[in-house]
């Protein structure tokens, strides 16, 4: 026994309304990433299906023309939501065009049920394909699997429109009318109910996955300078140290400290100090390789991890960085700020059992030697201090990892 078509329509209306209200509630006051446009599309779709259910009361012209136009407009809103999520600007004149075309076709074909089915299937199928194309276009910038779920929903709708259009073309669609029970009508409305659920959940997952990814990135970066924070740089060092031990390749680290940074804050203010830190990161980034990683270890100290780099190579790079920082014109509020750095370097082959804290302690020791020797210079350590349990003092242990 096939489900009752009007009942399927009412279920679809209920699902669309509930999903739309949920999206509006979730997206209220939050950054607009298309949730409200998606909710609008679901709301318009619910109104369209309401006109279909009320066809005996409102009359066929209104139900057919306006109902189909609103169904098309609902898909346009879904496409606009996807575009907005991707940071693209929807062109509403183009998005409204399918609804206008479909309304005109429905008006011209009021007395031909099969041609109406064919026209509606063609327009709605094309719109489904456009949503899938937009999702594919932005796939590389979309994290997680929500986009795949949404694409599956749109693919299901496209498939149903193709089958329905084929039936309309061959004249096999139920001849008794839109609201009459039949295999094709049942397939159509069961599928649209599934699409409303699957596609909407996919879009919600897309927004959640993006928020989770943004939080993950923020948790890994220093808020002021944008480079890796202490936890992330130590985790990267731990990973690269393990890799260097297994592959028997050299690994180097640099500990960089701004000279007289307190004096800069006292003389020019903390905003100037913040600007100096950001400028220093840019100078460092211009001279590091893509596989190198710089992180803010604390205060004005920066740790640089240099995979597959010998001590002589790291020393040469450190001298270049010292010269580049000294030559760079740091200016804040029209005032030049002379700046130099001291750098401690360790590099070489690691042995099994060597830990990230040994490398930091070695670079830290070399940094303090550079400070004692007059600053604006580079000192190096060629041998790890393998004394004690890990050879490092407690001050080198991040609280989160100790």
């Amino acid at each position: 026994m096939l489900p009752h078509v009007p009942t399927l329509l009412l279920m679809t209306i209920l699902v669309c309304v509930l999903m739309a209200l949920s999206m509006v509630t979730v997206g209220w006051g939050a950054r607009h990433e298309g949730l409200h446009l998606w909710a609008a599309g679901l709301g318009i779709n619910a109104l369209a299906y309401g006109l279909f259910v009320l066809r005996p009361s409102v009359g066929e012209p209104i139900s057919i023309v306006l109902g189909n136009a609103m169904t098309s407009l609902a898909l346009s809103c879904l496409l606009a939501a996807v575009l907005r999520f991707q940071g693209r600007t929807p062109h509403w004149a183009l998005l409204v065009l399918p609804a206008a075309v479909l309304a005109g076709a429905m008006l011209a074909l009021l007395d031909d049920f099969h041609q109406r089915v064919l026209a509606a299937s063609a327009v709605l199928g094309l719109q489904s394909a456009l949503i899938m194309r937009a999702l594919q276009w932005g796939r590389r910038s979309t994290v997680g699997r929500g986009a795949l779920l949404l694409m599956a929903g749109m693919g299901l709708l496209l498939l149903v429109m193709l089958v329905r259009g084929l039936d309309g073309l061959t004249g096999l669609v139920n001849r008794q009318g839109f609201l009459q029970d039949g295999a094709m009508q049942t397939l159509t409305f069961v599928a649209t109910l599934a699409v409303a659920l699957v596609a909407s959940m996919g879009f919600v997952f897309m927004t959640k996955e993006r928020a989770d990814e943004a939080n993950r990135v923020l948790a890994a970066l220093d808020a002021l300078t944008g480079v890796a924070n202490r936890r992330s740089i130590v985790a990267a060092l731990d990973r690269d140290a393990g890799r260097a031990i297994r592959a028997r390749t050299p690994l180097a680290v640099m500990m960089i400290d701004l000279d007289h940074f307190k004096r800069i804050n006292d003389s020019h203010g903390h905003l100037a100090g913040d600007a100096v830190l950001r400028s220093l990161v840019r100078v460092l980034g211009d001279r590091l390789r893509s596989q190198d990683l710089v992180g803010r270890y604390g205060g004005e100290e920066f740790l640089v991890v240099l995979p597959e780099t010998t001590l002589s190579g790291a020393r040469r790079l450190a001298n270049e960085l010292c010269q580049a920082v000294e030559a760079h014109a740091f200016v804040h509020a029209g005032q030049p700020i002379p700046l130099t750095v001291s750098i401690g370097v360790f590099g070489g082959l690691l042995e099994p059992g060597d830990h990230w804290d040994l490398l930091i302690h070695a670079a830290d020791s070399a940094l303090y030697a550079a400070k004692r020797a007059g600053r604006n210079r580079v000192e190096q350590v060629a041998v790890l201090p393998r004394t004690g349990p890990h050879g490092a003092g407690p001050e080198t242990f991040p609280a989160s990892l100790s």
Side-chain angles (χ1 to χ4, degrees), residues 15 22 24 45 56 89 102 139 147 162 177 273 284 320 333-334 358 365 380:
V15 167
S22 299
V24 169
N45 196 58
T89 302
L102 187 55
R139 187 70 188 97
L162 289 174
L284 298 180
E320 292 175 1
L358 287 173
S365 299
Q380 69 182 43

Side-chain angles (χ1 to χ4, degrees), residues 240-251 307-310 348-354 384 386:
D240 287 347
R243 184 179 299 155
I245 292 172
R246 292 191 300 272
R248 298 301 296 161
T249 55
L251 177 67
E308 300 183 13
T309 303
T310 62
L349 292 174
L350 304 182
E351 300 296 334
D354 289 344
L384 288 178
R386 298 183 179 95

